[in-house]
Amino acid sequence: MRAWTLIRFYTVFVYIFMFAPIAVVLILAFNKAEFASFPMTGFSLRWFERLFNDPTIMRAFRTSLTLGLMVSAISTTLGVMASIALVRYEFRGKDLMTTFLISPVLVPETVMAVGLLIFLRYLHMPRSFGLLLLGHSILALPFVVLVVQARLVGIKREYEEAARSLGANPLQTFFSVTLPLLLPAVFAGALFAFTISFDNITATLFWRPSGMETVPTQIFGMLRNSISPEINALGFVMISVTAGVPLLAGGLARYFGRKNRARHPTRSLT
Amino acid sequence: MALEVAKFDKRPWVLLSPALVTITALVVIPMAFMLAYSFYLNVDLAVDKPAFQFGNWIEIATDKYYYVAIWKTFRLSMIVTLLAAILGYVPAYFIAMTRFRHKWMLLLLLIMPFWISFIIRTLSWIHILGHDGAINSLLLYLGVIRHPMDMMYNQYTVIVGFIHVFLPYMILNIYVSLDGIDRNLEPAARTLGATGWQAFREVTLPLSLPGLGAGCLLVFVLTAGSYVTPLILGGPNDFLFGNLIYDAIITELNWPMGAALSITLLVLLGVVVIVYSRLMGLRQLAKAFA
Amino acid sequence: MKKMDSTTRLERLREAMGNGDIDKRDFLRLLGCAGITAGLSGGIMTSLATQARAAGTDLYFEGWGGVVSEALRKYAFDPYTKATGNKVIDSTFGGEKEVLTKIKAAGSTKGHNILHSSGVDWYMRWTKGGYGVKLDMSKIPNFDNVMESIVAPFKKITPGYLSAVPYDYGTTGIAYNTKHISKEEAEAQGANILLNPKYKGKIGGWGGDWANRAWFGALQSGQDPNNITDWNAVWAKVREMRGLVKKYWSSGAELMDLLASEEIWVTEAWSGRVAALQAQGHPIGYFDPKNGLAWMESMFVLKGSPMDESEQLLNFMLAPDTALAVAAGQKYPSSLDPTKVKMPESVTSLPAFDPTGKLASLVFRDPVKWNAVEKVQGRMWDRIKKGG
């Protein structure tokens, strides 16, 4: 029992470490002064006002959202397929392939960005949204592979073999057995891919077409002038939206789910 | 199954091909361009001449300046990786094993910081450790200190910044592998007489190694390839190999040198990955027999 | 750690399995729905946005962001769009080198039209690199109000024509915290205050530009920055200063933050940024040391840009009302001649402002001398910065 308590305290400590900076961002969003610093000079909503009156940020937000969702779709699809090949099959050159799939992580982003640009020049292709999409997908792919692979290793093969022996074809087996078991990993991979795209700055600065801003590049532009609490206000809004929506949705789901489960008690066994 | 193994199995290659094609087109070919570029001659700022000469490579191989940067990079990456592993394993274990009903919330909380820009997150450490930061303000208010303490812009702030940014990668990787472990194993070990600690050490820990390994690899590689964190949180002495690349490509506009440095970093990190995949590859094999 | 009660533990595990998984699935489903909704709305918005800007020519402007962009958008870009139907798409660069890297990598200036270019040395680099144009000054009547003294250095590089219009100027002097350093003490030491061991760990400097470091190294080693004879002496001073520095800042925002939080007490600094700090009530003093660095910024038109529209925009930007509003906003004096255009107090009180319009008191970088040595000397700073 004592060990578990210790683990719990340790975890709480780590979460505090993770969230101290976030808390600071949230608090300073309401600071009155020009500078984001302590002690606070007063409570003010003026940074939010400025933020919401800034159409460029709203546009950047939409760009980032669209981009992130498309990136996570692409890289998760590619990543899951590759991971299944790597974990489920024995073949020659497997180690090499694993290394190869993870290799994009090794390339410093500046290098990757410039390299891809040089390559595009040879193809006579201008920078575009498509380049950002492909580039981000490549940046996210290794993470998806790593996450999904680690999960897949833990899934017992017997389940699949049982399904096969019961007459399911490989595709049926995948969709009815492997995929449900894999879903948490797929989800984690997709979320990872989304966040990597959503948070990327270094490569995006190079790849984005002129006039297109994502949230990080927009923030970067704001930072050039001053580290104003408006940025913290943006952080506040982003946290509220990204954490608030799922929390609310989760609460609602539980509410309806409980009703549902009461009607179909067997579901809770699966 | 045995029959299928005997002949050449196309299926893994079918599954792999989309990813392989994408990586080849968007990473391998551009990197080949970079390699070719590393032999070019930089005539003047932003003016390069196609050539085949080893000037850049000779400079890297003979100049102590670059060795110092490599050493610094590896040292710092090791420290960050180790600390992240120590800090990250326990929470991952907690999330995987807790009976807390809203487990997904704990996971979501981990990813949440990513949704605020990386730059804001890094800068926020200045608001905590700086002169105007939360800690100094609090201590001044309480009268513990008279003058703000100097805590910013040194090696330690860089390490803190790195760990803060990369810890979620570590925790999530460990969590994913812990969560994939059959939950009956540890209790089973205990019914066979093992203590809680023994059960963990003999059963759970080895099974979670792929995740721990993946997390360590990721954190190491990501740290070794960064350059922004030391710029924001470090002092004059804090820099990484990535900063040299950035300087060469962006500041000096000397792409041939930048390309040569990039390839150097790539090869060094590649060695790390090969060592890793040898190690972890063996472990996974061992596990298959268990 | 002690042995755990295995029954409780088992129970907990079982519960975790049951609950955790179900919650996760619900959560997944919901997140999927949320994702689809967001994706759809995002897609619709994007397509709407593309339709909205179908008419007129697009001009791509790149600048330093922040209040500079805000002022330009409000006083120049928006009226321009209203008057002509052409749209100005403005974005932020991290420095002109970033733009040059992009253009070089892409092999064309497509998507880049007008730059808020800093320094005559960059004017030289862009024009010598073949990225310049020949502006038709008859289409920019407001150019007549620009100081001759600020145009001359540009004309020297491209005799007979211009590829840019000078827009503003400023200085890089010394900023110090008046709580810790008195005005007399600071000004008596000049550029050498950055080498005073008394302030070790309280000194800052701009890390982003080798030429800036070398300029101060020249001042500290007693040389004429536009005629450096002993580069070793310059770098020796730079090394000496590095040992005392707490932080080399890399942006104006960082400079302001370091000064305001008193992490550093003394640093070289950009005049406009210090003016902004003073306006906010911070105890920061500023002076230009002897032979301190002055610079001018221009609106540079890149090759391949739609010329009529670009010239029209430059004319808008140089209109006295616009130029002065922008100057007051970004805290750098306008390039307009104060003897021809009446300036409000918000502009005349800016640091480095020269009421004579001759700029005789300011020392600018000689681009011919400095660009010639950049390939060799530029790397020195990158090495010294890292202790080499």
Side-chain angles (χ1 to χ4, degrees), chain A residues 156-181:
Chain A
K156 283 240 182 82
R157 220 175 164 148
E158 283 81 1
Y159 301 137
E160 285 167 25
E161 276 161 17
R164 295 291 297 278
S165 67
L166 290 171
N169 66 34
L171 219 59
Q172 282 171 330
T173 313
F174 177 76
F175 280 109
S176 61
V177 178
T178 318
L179 192 62
L181 284 170

Side-chain angles (χ1 to χ4, degrees), chain A residues 210-212, chain C residues 49-61 80-81 84-90 109-114 304-310 313:
Chain A
S210 301
M212 182 185 280
Chain C
T50 358
Q51 274 174 7
R53 57 159 223 238
T57 313
D58 286 346
L59 280 177
Y60 293 96
F61 176 89
Y80 172 77
T81 303
T84 62
N86 300 325
K87 207 166 171 221
V88 181
I89 299 163
D90 64 329
T109 54
K110 198 168 178 296
H112 306 272
N113 296 144
I114 299 168
S305 304
M307 289 309 292
D308 286 348
E309 289 83 353
S310 302
L313 177 62

Side-chain angles (χ1 to χ4, degrees), chain C residues 74-314:
Chain C
K74 197 165 156 199
Y75 299 112
F77 299 162
D78 285 350
Y80 172 77
T81 303
K82 211 178 251 171
T84 62
N86 300 325
K87 207 166 171 221
V88 181
I89 299 163
D90 64 329
S91 55
T92 308
F93 56 53
E96 280 159 87
K97 282 187 166 161
E98 194 185 296
V99 181
L100 183 54
T101 309
K102 275 189 191 170
I103 289 177
K104 206 185 143 198
S108 90
T109 54
K110 198 168 178 296
H112 306 272
N113 296 144
I114 299 168
L115 300 176
H116 194 172
S117 170
S118 178
V120 186
D121 44 330
W122 267 99
Y123 183 77
M124 185 167 163
R125 184 159 306 129
W126 288 116
T127 49
K128 295 275 184 251
Y131 298 112
V133 296
K134 285 187 182 174
L135 290 175
D136 179 357
M137 287 308 169
S138 68
K139 299 229 179 85
I140 315 178
N142 285 326
F143 182 73
D144 292 343
N145 287 329
V146 175
M147 289 182 276
E148 265 166 48
S149 56
I150 204 172
V151 176
F154 291 90
K155 277 257 170 77
K156 217 160 114 189
I157 292 163
T158 51
Y161 72 95
L162 282 176
S163 179
V165 293
Y167 200 68
D168 51 72
Y169 63 96
T171 57
T172 305
I174 308 263
Y176 56 96
N177 190 311
T178 51
K179 276 204 292 196
H180 301 281
I181 302 168
S182 72
K183 185 173 190 284
E184 298 70 37
E185 190 190 351
E187 290 181 7
Q189 292 178 72
N192 279 323
I193 194 171
L194 298 173
L195 293 175
N196 192 334
K198 210 167 98 188
Y199 305 124
K200 185 173 192 266
K202 287 289 165 198
I203 297 174
W206 183 22
D209 181 31
W210 74 276
N212 178 75
R213 280 269 62 80
W215 189 281
F216 278 87
L219 294 182
Q220 286 156 351
S221 60
Q223 304 187 62
D224 172 3
N226 272 327
N227 199 8
I228 293 175
T229 46
D230 185 356
W231 278 98
N232 286 335
V234 169
W235 295 124
K237 289 291 178 190
V238 172
R239 274 200 188 87
E240 189 183 331
M241 183 175 154
R242 182 186 179 276
L244 306 170
V245 161
K246 176 169 211 180
K247 178 76 182 166
Y248 284 111
W249 42 270
S250 53
S251 72
E254 205 180 1
L255 160 70
M256 288 169 75
D257 210 46
L258 287 167
L259 276 173
S261 65
E262 297 184 21
E263 291 277 357
I264 56 174
W265 293 347
V266 58
T267 174
E268 83 253 9
W270 300 333
S271 54
R273 303 293 174 145
V274 177
L277 277 172
Q278 287 166 342
Q280 289 166 21
H282 291 281
I284 307 294
Y286 181 83
F287 70 95
D288 286 306
K290 188 173 173 290
N291 276 337
L293 177 62
W295 33 264
M296 33 189 109
E297 293 186 324
S298 65
M299 295 296 163
F300 192 96
V301 181
L302 285 162
K303 200 169 78 179
S305 304
M307 289 309 292
D308 286 348
E309 289 83 353
S310 302
E311 285 155 356
Q312 208 176 7
L313 177 62
L314 294 185

Side-chain angles (χ1 to χ4, degrees), chain A residues 9-270:
Chain A
F9 273 118
Y10 198 112
T11 306
V12 170
F13 164 76
V14 170
Y15 270 83
I16 289 174
F17 170 75
M18 289 303 298
F19 278 86
I22 313 294
V24 167
V25 169
L26 298 185
I27 294 168
L28 287 178
F30 297 98
N31 198 7
K32 214 168 147 193
E34 284 291 326
F35 279 98
S37 62
F38 290 102
M40 287 181 54
T41 49
F43 181 87
S44 159
L45 288 175
R46 67 172 172 146
W47 303 111
F48 287 92
E49 202 186 310
R50 252 178 70 175
L51 183 72
F52 289 123
N53 286 325
D54 192 341
T56 50
I57 291 180
M58 296 299 146
R59 205 180 320 134
F61 199 78
R62 270 199 302 274
T63 310
S64 278
L65 204 64
T66 318
L67 184 65
L69 288 172
M70 290 169 79
V71 165
S72 80
I74 294 177
S75 53
T76 311
T77 311
L78 295 180
V80 169
M81 284 169 73
S83 309
I84 291 174
L86 289 176
V87 175
R88 280 288 175 267
Y89 298 95
E90 286 305 323
F91 57 93
R92 286 179 61 175
K94 193 161 144 178
D95 273 1
L96 199 70
M97 285 301 120
T98 313
T99 316
F100 185 73
L101 283 175
I102 299 168
S103 64
V105 177
L106 302 182
V107 189
E109 269 180 44
T110 319
V111 180
M112 185 106 111
V114 175
L116 201 51
L117 277 182
I118 300 180
F119 181 45
L120 282 184
R121 179 169 69 181
Y122 281 81
L123 299 179
H124 294 287
M125 271 158 59
R127 294 193 305 272
S128 64
F129 185 78
L131 169 64
L132 262 183
L133 183 60
L134 285 174
H136 279 196
S137 302
I138 275 292
L139 292 176
L141 183 61
F143 294 95
V144 177
V145 171
L146 279 168
V147 170
V148 175
Q149 220 188 336
R151 171 79 191 193
L152 208 54
V153 169
I155 294 177
K156 283 240 182 82
R157 220 175 164 148
E158 283 81 1
Y159 301 137
E160 285 167 25
E161 276 161 17
R164 295 291 297 278
S165 67
L166 290 171
N169 66 34
L171 219 59
Q172 282 171 330
T173 313
F174 177 76
F175 280 109
S176 61
V177 178
T178 318
L179 192 62
L181 284 170
L182 199 60
L183 219 55
V186 171
F187 170 66
L191 201 59
F192 237 111
F194 178 84
T195 39
I196 281 165
S197 159
F198 199 79
D199 195 27
N200 185 278
I201 171 100
T202 315
T204 311
L205 280 176
F206 285 92
W207 290 337
R208 72 187 161 136
S210 301
M212 182 185 280
E213 303 274 6
T214 64
V215 174
T217 62
Q218 181 69 37
I219 289 173
F220 194 62
M222 288 160 76
L223 272 178
R224 294 225 158 261
N225 189 60
S226 91
I227 307 175
S228 84
E230 189 181 350
I231 285 162
N232 293 327
L234 178 60
F236 187 92
V237 171
M238 280 161 83
I239 291 198
S240 312
V241 171
T242 47
V245 169
L247 282 176
L248 197 72
L252 285 174
R254 295 184 55 76
Y255 179 71
F256 290 114
R258 209 170 290 140
K259 277 190 184 164
N260 242 327
R261 231 170 277 142
R263 253 180 279 139
H264 311 281
T266 42
R267 268 195 54 207
S268 54
L269 292 177
T270 49

Side-chain angles (χ1 to χ4, degrees), chain B residues 207-224:
Chain B
L207 285 174
S208 66
L209 275 180
L212 183 63
C216 285
L217 180 73
L218 260 184
V219 172
F220 186 92
V221 162
L222 287 174
T223 310

Side-chain angles (χ1 to χ4, degrees), chain C residues 14-37:
Chain C
R14 205 184 289 137
E15 262 191 58
M17 251 191 283
N19 295 328
D21 282 353
I22 283 158
D23 284 348
K24 212 181 305 171
R25 203 155 46 223
D26 284 344
F27 173 58
L28 279 175
R29 206 166 40 222
L30 272 156
L31 226 108
C33 293
I36 291 164
T37 325

Side-chain angles (χ1 to χ4, degrees), chain B residues 42-46 48 59 63 65-66 93 97-99 101 104 108 130-132 150 152-153 175 179 183 186-187 190 196 230-237 239 243-244 247 249-255, chain C residues 1 3-4 6 9-10 12-13 15-17 19-20 23-24 27 97-98 100-101 104-105 122 125 202 208 242 245-248 250 254 257-258 260-263 374-375 378-379 382-383 385-388:
Chain B
N42 181 245
V43 187
D44 193 8
L45 245 55
D48 307 320
E59 191 182 325
D63 198 332
Y65 173 59
Y66 298 104
Y93 185 84
M97 301 301 171
T98 183
R99 61 171 173 180
R101 291 171 71 88
W104 56 269
L108 188 73
H131 271 214
D132 282 357
D150 272 325
M152 275 305 303
Y153 308 117
Y175 163 76
D179 201 47
R183 279 151 207 273
E186 208 172 310
R190 265 202 305 271
L231 277 183
I232 298 180
L233 295 178
N237 279 318
F239 61 90
N243 295 81
L244 302 192
D247 281 349
I249 289 183
I250 308 281
T251 318
E252 292 161 21
L253 291 168
N254 184 347
W255 284 18
Chain C
M1 274 185 247
K3 189 177 128 150
M4 268 187 242
S6 65
R9 188 91 177 80
L10 190 65
R12 184 179 297 145
L13 277 176
E15 262 191 58
M17 251 191 283
N19 295 328
D23 284 348
K24 212 181 305 171
F27 173 58
K97 282 187 166 161
E98 194 185 296
L100 183 54
T101 309
K104 206 185 143 198
W122 267 99
R125 184 159 306 129
K202 287 289 165 198
R242 182 186 179 276
V245 161
K246 176 169 211 180
K247 178 76 182 166
Y248 284 111
S250 53
E254 205 180 1
D257 210 46
L258 287 167
S261 65
E262 297 184 21
E263 291 277 357
E374 175 157 13
K375 167 104 176 93
R379 305 190 55 195
D382 280 329
R383 295 182 71 114
K385 186 166 63 180
K386 299 184 183 65

